[in-house]
Amino acid sequence: MSEQTPGTDKQEQNSSQDNQSFEKKHEDSKEARREYRDQRRAERREYRYERSVSDGIGVGVTFIFIGLVWMMAKMGYINFSIIGAIADLWPLVFVVIGVNIIFRRVRYVGLITWIGFLSVIVAYGVYFAPQAEWFNVHIGNNWDNEYSSSVNGLPAISDSVPFVGNEQVKEGNLELNLAAGNLNMGASDDNLIDYVLPKDFVSLNQKIEGNTANFEFNENKNAHLGKMTGKGVNYDFYLNKNILWFIGVNIGATDSEMNFSKVPVRKLEINGGAGDFKLELGDLQDKSDVSINMAAGDIKITVPKNAGVKIVNNGLFSDNNFKNSGLEKVDGSYQTPDYNQAEKVIYIEINSAASDLTLIRK
């Protein structure tokens, strides 16, 4: 009969204790994993609940917004420029969806992004009063004529400053300080200046001294009513084509179309918010200096093909904007090869945070 040594008993005792310790650690680890899984399930349930609440609020806000807009349109406080805004800005939906996918675990991101999208739609619709083409074709033609006339603009006044009696004028200074709206400018054959403006929105200060005519149009205090009602605010100016013009434009969000192909413009400075600018310059003057300062939008400039052009770009444009225009990059600016030798030159400086530029030479 064999006998166990004391050393063997001690080894077995230590082995038993090690097994018990391992089993305890294993059980503790399993318990910790169970607690972690339970915690993760609770967090996912809480996230899904909060996300459903957020999405529900977002959907509710959207329906409330649609209802309020529709009711205000029926009452005549705003027009269907909101529909035009949606037609113009619908690609932003992809941006909203993308942000929601990337930040899907951020609480209330859906609510914030959709409210932001609706805010942009409202601001764009009120300031720009865009009219969706499909709406005009399919619905606008059948809309009540009286309502359509109120949509197209507020009551306007038309007036002019005659050239007859002021034949000595050789230069004109024009300063425009206007609220947001649609700005159209062109040439006048018979007068120093013709203008069509919303009634009681803008006041004119004029002074003719020697061979210089000075015109200043300033927004009145009640000009903001046009933005509040959502009605289209249009400003039309037509300048004498036989005198040299120096023009300054300060305007909010706007769609502007300035055709100076028949008007000699020596200097043009545009300070605007956001919008679309269409500018056409002629070669009736030896030199034109143009400065465009805006937050965002599309800029389309048409210049004579025989004029030397130089563009200093302080915005976010790329070389692709000038690829097919015949301009080459020189010391950070873009210019035609013959700019320094050209008899007629156009110098353009653009300061914009985010815009798209198109240059056409014809």
Side-chain angles (χ1 to χ4, degrees), residues 79-114:
N79 62 25
F80 275 93
S81 61
I82 299 298
I83 293 181
I86 294 173
D88 286 349
L89 300 181
W90 67 266
L92 285 179
V93 171
F94 294 107
V95 176
V96 173
I97 294 174
V99 171
N100 276 270
I101 292 174
I102 295 173
F103 301 100
R104 60 184 178 275
R105 296 192 178 279
V106 178
R107 296 178 178 179
Y108 299 107
V109 67
L111 175 62
I112 295 171
T113 52
W114 283 111

Side-chain angles (χ1 to χ4, degrees), residues 140-289:
N141 292 336
N142 298 322
W143 200 250
D144 182 77
N145 289 332
E146 182 179 355
Y147 184 77
S148 297
S149 62
S150 66
V151 169
N152 289 335
L154 297 169
I157 59 170
S158 176
D159 207 344
S160 61
V161 178
F163 184 70
V164 177
N166 296 303
E167 291 85 353
Q168 79 282 4
V169 173
K170 303 300 180 184
E171 293 183 356
N173 295 314
L174 174 63
E175 185 78 17
L176 304 179
N177 301 299
L178 306 173
N182 305 309
L183 175 62
N184 300 293
M185 302 186 73
S188 173
D189 292 324
D190 302 321
N191 297 304
L192 281 177
I193 186 171
D194 298 311
Y195 55 90
V196 182
L197 302 171
K199 187 178 180 181
D200 300 326
F201 263 44
V202 179
S203 59
L204 166 62
N205 296 320
Q206 69 177 65
K207 189 175 184 180
I208 298 177
E209 295 180 320
N211 64 353
T212 303
N214 301 288
F215 302 101
E216 183 178 359
F217 292 84
N218 295 306
E219 168 194 341
N220 290 333
K221 291 187 295 183
N222 62 342
H224 66 282
L225 294 175
K227 292 181 284 186
M228 292 177 61
T229 59
K231 298 179 184 296
V233 180
N234 298 315
Y235 308 102
D236 297 335
F237 297 92
Y238 303 95
L239 312 181
N240 189 280
K241 61 183 182 181
N242 296 312
I243 66 176
L244 189 63
W245 287 93
F246 298 78
I247 304 171
V249 178
N250 301 293
I251 191 170
T254 180
D255 283 344
S256 297
E257 188 165 347
M258 305 177 185
N259 187 345
F260 296 134
S261 59
K262 297 181 180 180
V263 179
V265 176
R266 175 62 181 84
K267 186 174 182 180
L268 172 63
E269 181 177 348
I270 303 171
N271 300 303
D276 294 337
F277 284 85
K278 294 181 181 179
L279 172 63
E280 183 170 353
L281 297 169
D283 56 1
L284 300 176
Q285 64 289 324
D286 293 334
K287 183 178 180 180
S288 289
D289 289 325

Side-chain angles (χ1 to χ4, degrees), residues 283-324:
D283 56 1
L284 300 176
Q285 64 289 324
D286 293 334
K287 183 178 180 180
S288 289
D289 289 325
V290 178
S291 175
I292 300 176
N293 307 288
M294 60 184 297
D298 293 334
I299 302 174
K300 181 179 179 181
I301 302 176
T302 302
V303 298
K305 195 170 185 178
N306 62 340
V309 179
K310 182 175 182 178
I311 297 179
V312 176
N313 168 32
N314 298 317
L316 301 178
F317 307 114
S318 68
D319 293 347
N320 292 330
N321 290 100
F322 308 96
K323 183 178 295 183
N324 300 319

